[in-house]
Amino acid sequence: MASEKVDGFAFEQRHGKARVRLGRVWRSQSGGSHNFVEWTVGISLLSNCLAAYVRDDNSDIVATDSMKNTVYAKAKECTQQISVEEFAILLAKHFTSFYEQVTTAIITIVEKPWERVYVDGQPHDHDDAQELMFHIKLISCSGFKLGSEEHTTEVIVEKSGALRVTSGFQGLALLKTTQSGFEKFVRDKYTALPDTQERMLATEVTASWKYPFESLSAIPLQPSYFTERYLDVKKVLVETFFGPSKGGVYSPSVQNTLYQMATTVLNRFPDISSIQFKMPNIHFLPVNISSKDNPAIVKFDNDVYLPTSEPHGSIEATLSRIRAKM
């Protein structure tokens, strides 16, 4: 964010609208399936409205209520289903082109993970997941799932057409009951943790990856590009975490597993320039219970655990491609 000189000071400012809640249904004209999304949109505009701060002149301010209304108006204009990335780009392009004083638009979107319901083994042909919670009580069905992880994106568009797109997810809970250990770490007078080659490994992954596109003209034209890449990356990350279906893969630490996940993504997808992870080590503590009269009320044998949410280990890392110098 560029700073301006005001009364001998360097001044930076932006304004926007946070947590704009949006639900959008796309209904098939032929009477087939409906598609539904629920998004939380954030808007932040960098604009030439210094006068509002220093001279009580609001003539260059884009009202945040107008920003909120724009979200719903642009959603109405989208007659075909689009991804969170495409909608964020659409909004950012609008704000930087419609308002002369806006130099940069930053759009963030979080998508709630509604998934289609299957009834009697078949996808239900029109209801969204929330509506079907009532129907499930009345008819038999193969199952219902509201996913845990949320699809996220951040898009930055400048008036010049410069572009930055970041995709990701948050809240992907993963756990395996074996094939994990932690040993040969630093030991000192504060260390109580024993070495182990057999422990529970659980985490809640937050991941974000950046695309190399630097301008609006560089965005791939193929339909569903961002949605397909999002699903592909998530699939690769989960497969790398668990390993092959026969035998799995051993994890010597959360750090090593994180690195394997990151390198697999960059090696598999040349259109991703970097990937960042937050992977807390969520602890499941062995349960041993004894008393004076009974020394083995519960004796741990890799079977009974106490789940905990805090404190937890905190592991973060970013892996990026090294760009060749010209």
Side-chain angles (χ1 to χ4, degrees):
M1 181 166 55
S3 63
E4 301 174 85
K5 289 185 178 180
V6 180
D7 299 327
F9 301 100
F11 182 63
E12 297 180 353
Q13 57 81 23
R14 66 174 66 179
H15 78 293
K17 198 73 165 182
R19 299 191 62 78
V20 181
R21 300 284 300 277
L22 166 67
R24 179 63 160 98
V25 177
W26 286 277
R27 305 176 189 275
S28 171
Q29 298 300 315
S30 60
S33 64
H34 295 176
N35 293 305
F36 173 73
V37 295
E38 181 181 343
W39 293 336
T40 301
V41 181
I43 305 158
S44 186
L45 302 183
L46 280 62
S47 62
N48 299 319
C49 61
L50 182 62
Y53 293 88
V54 300
R55 294 197 300 273
D56 298 329
D57 179 356
N58 296 336
S59 59
D60 286 326
I61 288 184
V62 179
T64 64
D65 186 69
S66 301
M67 299 181 200
K68 178 203 66 178
N69 294 342
T70 300
V71 171
Y72 298 117
K74 292 300 176 183
K76 178 72 174 179
E77 293 174 7
C78 294
T79 57
Q80 300 294 322
Q81 184 175 9
I82 62 174
S83 66
V84 290
E85 291 88 355
E86 291 168 312
F87 189 65
I89 292 170
L90 184 153
L91 286 176
K93 287 171 59 179
H94 167 81
F95 288 120
T96 53
S97 61
F98 191 77
Y99 298 104
E100 182 179 356
Q101 66 272 40
V102 174
T103 59
T104 303
I106 304 170
I107 308 296
T108 60
I109 303 180
V110 177
E111 180 174 354
K112 195 168 183 178
W114 292 112
E115 298 178 355
R116 190 175 302 282
V117 168
Y118 282 71
V119 178
D120 291 331
Q122 300 296 321
H124 199 279
D125 66 1
H126 71 271
D127 282 317
D128 66 82
Q130 191 173 25
E131 292 170 343
L132 276 167
M133 290 177 69
F134 173 74
H135 295 307
I136 288 171
K137 298 177 182 177
L138 304 179
I139 56 179
S140 63
C141 64
S142 61
F144 169 80
K145 178 179 181 293
L146 177 63
S148 60
E149 65 275 7
E150 297 176 318
H151 186 171
T152 62
T153 192
E154 179 185 74
V155 168
I156 303 175
V157 172
E158 300 178 15
K159 191 176 288 291
S160 64
L163 170 72
R164 278 169 284 176
V165 180
T166 302
S167 296
F169 56 78
Q170 59 191 25
L172 177 62
L174 301 175
L175 178 150
K176 59 181 184 179
T177 58
T178 188
Q179 287 284 59
S180 174
F182 190 57
E183 56 185 334
K184 299 178 182 178
F185 47 87
V186 174
R187 290 200 167 276
D188 53 39
K189 64 180 181 180
Y190 303 106
T191 304
L193 187 68
D195 284 1
T196 182
Q197 294 182 344
E198 181 63 39
R199 67 169 182 171
M200 193 93 76
L201 177 59
T203 187
E204 189 171 285
V205 183
T206 297
S208 60
W209 52 92
K210 295 182 179 179
Y211 294 95
F213 321 126
E214 296 182 347
S215 66
L216 291 168
S217 60
I219 300 172
L221 298 178
Q222 64 196 78
S224 304
Y225 167 79
F226 287 109
T227 298
E228 290 176 4
R229 182 59 73 245
Y230 169 77
L231 295 174
D232 288 343
V233 170
K234 189 168 64 169
K235 180 175 182 289
V236 165
L237 292 176
V238 171
E239 290 175 349
T240 306
F241 179 89
F242 289 108
S245 58
K246 299 294 185 181
V249 63
Y250 182 73
S251 170
S253 66
V254 176
Q255 287 86 343
N256 182 262
T257 296
L258 181 156
Y259 183 73
Q260 297 303 321
M261 294 164 70
T263 55
T264 301
V265 168
L266 293 192
N267 287 331
R268 188 76 60 87
F269 305 109
D271 56 348
I272 292 177
S273 57
S274 67
I275 186 164
Q276 181 182 49
F277 288 97
K278 294 181 180 179
M279 288 178 57
N281 188 7
I282 300 173
H283 304 302
F284 283 72
L285 305 179
V287 172
N288 285 292
I289 302 175
S290 62
S291 69
K292 181 178 180 180
D293 298 326
N294 186 351
I297 298 175
V298 176
K299 185 177 181 180
F300 180 72
D301 187 23
N302 293 318
D303 51 1
V304 180
Y305 298 84
L306 171 63
T308 65
S309 58
E310 55 186 34
H312 58 71
S314 179
I315 295 91
E316 301 182 24
T318 301
L319 189 68
S320 305
R321 300 186 192 279
I322 299 175
R323 301 179 65 176
K325 295 182 178 179
M326 300 298 292

